[in-house]
Amino acid sequence: MTALDALRVPAELLARVPAEQRGAGRDDVRLLVSRGREVSHHAFRELPGQLRAGDVLVVNTSPTLAAAVNGRVGGDRVVVHFSTRGADGRWAVELRRPDGAGATLPRPGGPAGAAVRLPGGSQLVLAEPVGGAGDGARLWWTRGGIDVAGLLRRYGRPIRYGYTERDQPLSAYQTVFALPAADGSGSAEMPSAARPFTAGLVAALVSRGVQFAPLTLHTGVASAEAHEPPYPEPFEVPSTTAWLVNAARAGGGRVIAVGTTAVRALESSAGPDGVVRAAAGWTDLVVTPQRGVRVVDGLLTGLHEPRASHLLMLEAVAGREALDRGYGEALRHRYLWHEFGDVHLLLPAGPGRGFREPRPVPEHHSPNC
């Protein structure tokens, strides 16, 4: 058993309110930096000093939706978490039961055919479990032909879990990189690794010679209790981002993903040769140490629960020893967990890692749908 296997996060280390309600601003969080087994402690505002000219930060532009809506199934009150808009226009949802304090608890899935009454007189019907699972599945495809975007704008609120103290406005869940989607799509839960960035910090990084490469991955609801691997999610890596990443790698720069969603999208667009190509569609990629990473050199991410499936991705990027050391230090120094908490920057160990032999940059990239 390693240190991470035995990790237990005390309740007092769960971030209950956004950083700006605890301190001076969004960027008033701490930054744990791991370079292999070497660990250092910083304020997040010191991020520019941890990076160098030629590095590329890959950021997710998906906006966060007000994805939680009250409803009823028969005589039971439920909270509907709208997770993912399918390619056919249907929505995958998770039904939860209210906990009486503004958050929710797990609820058995299904059954097929159950009608979910929603505010304003609209209704959804549970059609089939996502992924062909049984009636107890957590996520269900629905039918009903309702205007979900309009429903969420009028009646929705951000998804929150019991470790947070109270409801927050939707603006507290939007990152500085979020761009609205024309069809109302977005993420059920915030791509939270980017939350501490401010416009001023972005400007400071650009002045240092760090570049930003945008992509989009609309993330569905997390399995807060079950820690399941992520379901298929829609993503897009534009040609300009593919070019920036390939050029950085050819020139010896490091590609640093901001959040696990950025890793998933970027690695889904990379071939076995490590070349990133413009891509759009759905990804079912689960990054593990066995699969490894082809493009990403480093990762900026939050602190994850010990059983979270995302830890496999972190291990693929940084190695198990780096994670054990970093998480042990995070506990000892009282870092805060979850979406309103502190952040962890995983970088290659030593000055030589992250550099590769120069190679030609592809002139263009064909979309891969």
Side-chain angles (χ1 to χ4, degrees):
M1 176 181 291
T2 67
L4 194 57
D5 294 321
L7 182 69
R8 297 292 180 270
V9 183
E12 64 267 22
L13 296 187
L14 306 181
R16 300 192 179 279
V17 296
E20 57 270 30
Q21 296 175 23
R22 305 190 305 264
R26 278 190 175 224
D27 57 357
D28 195 16
V29 298
R30 290 195 288 170
L31 174 67
L32 178 73
V33 178
S34 292
R35 290 180 173 86
R37 289 182 54 82
E38 177 188 339
V39 175
S40 57
H41 305 275
H42 308 268
F44 187 73
R45 297 185 185 97
E46 298 173 29
L47 178 63
Q50 303 303 311
L51 304 178
R52 61 196 184 209
D55 287 344
V56 172
L57 289 174
V58 182
V59 297
N60 188 358
T61 63
S62 178
T64 307
L65 302 176
V69 177
N70 292 334
R72 284 188 175 270
V73 176
D76 296 333
R77 291 190 304 128
V78 297
V79 177
V80 185
H81 287 177
F82 285 84
S83 179
T84 304
R85 184 178 185 271
D88 58 1
R90 296 187 302 169
W91 278 82
V93 304
E94 177 188 24
L95 301 188
R96 311 264 299 181
R97 57 187 181 88
D99 70 352
T104 60
L105 296 168
R107 174 191 178 278
V116 184
R117 302 195 303 279
L118 297 167
S122 57
Q123 178 174 285
L124 287 174
V125 176
L126 301 183
E128 59 188 3
V130 172
D135 279 353
R138 192 171 59 87
L139 291 177
W140 284 72
W141 291 112
T142 61
R143 62 177 186 270
I146 67 171
D147 175 15
V148 172
L151 178 81
L152 299 186
R153 281 195 300 269
R154 185 169 183 183
Y155 300 107
R157 61 185 182 277
I159 290 172
R160 82 171 177 95
Y161 296 106
Y163 54 79
T164 54
E165 186 175 287
R166 57 184 178 270
D167 283 346
Q168 299 288 341
L170 183 59
S171 59
Y173 291 87
Q174 300 293 7
T175 75
V176 72
F177 305 111
L179 297 173
D183 63 358
S185 296
S187 288
E189 297 183 8
M190 172 177 53
S192 57
R195 190 183 191 278
F197 283 88
T198 63
L201 186 62
V202 170
L205 286 160
V206 171
S207 296
R208 189 173 176 82
V210 176
Q211 298 188 82
F212 286 83
L215 51 72
T216 302
L217 185 141
H218 297 313
T219 183
V221 294
S223 53
E225 295 82 17
H227 299 301
E228 303 159 343
Y231 286 85
E233 293 167 327
F235 79 103
E236 181 179 5
V237 176
S239 58
T240 51
T241 288
W243 189 91
L244 279 170
V245 169
N246 291 328
R249 299 185 78 222
R254 297 174 299 183
V255 176
I256 300 165
V258 178
T260 58
T261 59
V263 176
R264 197 178 193 210
L266 193 61
E267 291 288 327
S268 296
S269 68
D273 56 359
V275 174
V276 177
R277 297 171 174 84
W282 289 75
T283 178
D284 58 1
L285 176 64
V286 177
V287 178
T288 65
Q290 292 72 35
R291 189 266 185 191
V293 288
R294 298 169 177 169
V295 182
V296 172
D297 298 305
L299 172 61
L300 182 72
T301 183
L303 292 163
H304 302 275
E305 292 282 0
R307 294 183 296 125
S309 61
H310 288 316
L311 288 175
L312 293 174
M313 178 187 291
L314 271 61
E315 185 177 347
V317 173
R320 185 66 179 215
E321 288 189 4
L323 284 191
D324 282 344
R325 171 74 170 161
Y327 271 69
E329 285 289 293
L331 275 182
R332 278 190 288 275
H333 289 263
R334 312 291 290 173
Y335 279 70
L336 296 180
W337 259 250
H338 291 308
E339 66 266 31
F340 297 141
D342 298 315
V343 286
H344 189 187
L345 176 61
L346 298 153
L347 291 173
R353 287 193 53 188
F355 289 94
R356 300 174 180 83
E357 290 297 320
R359 63 182 182 187
V361 181
E363 294 182 0
H364 67 277
H365 310 285
S366 300
N368 177 23
C369 299

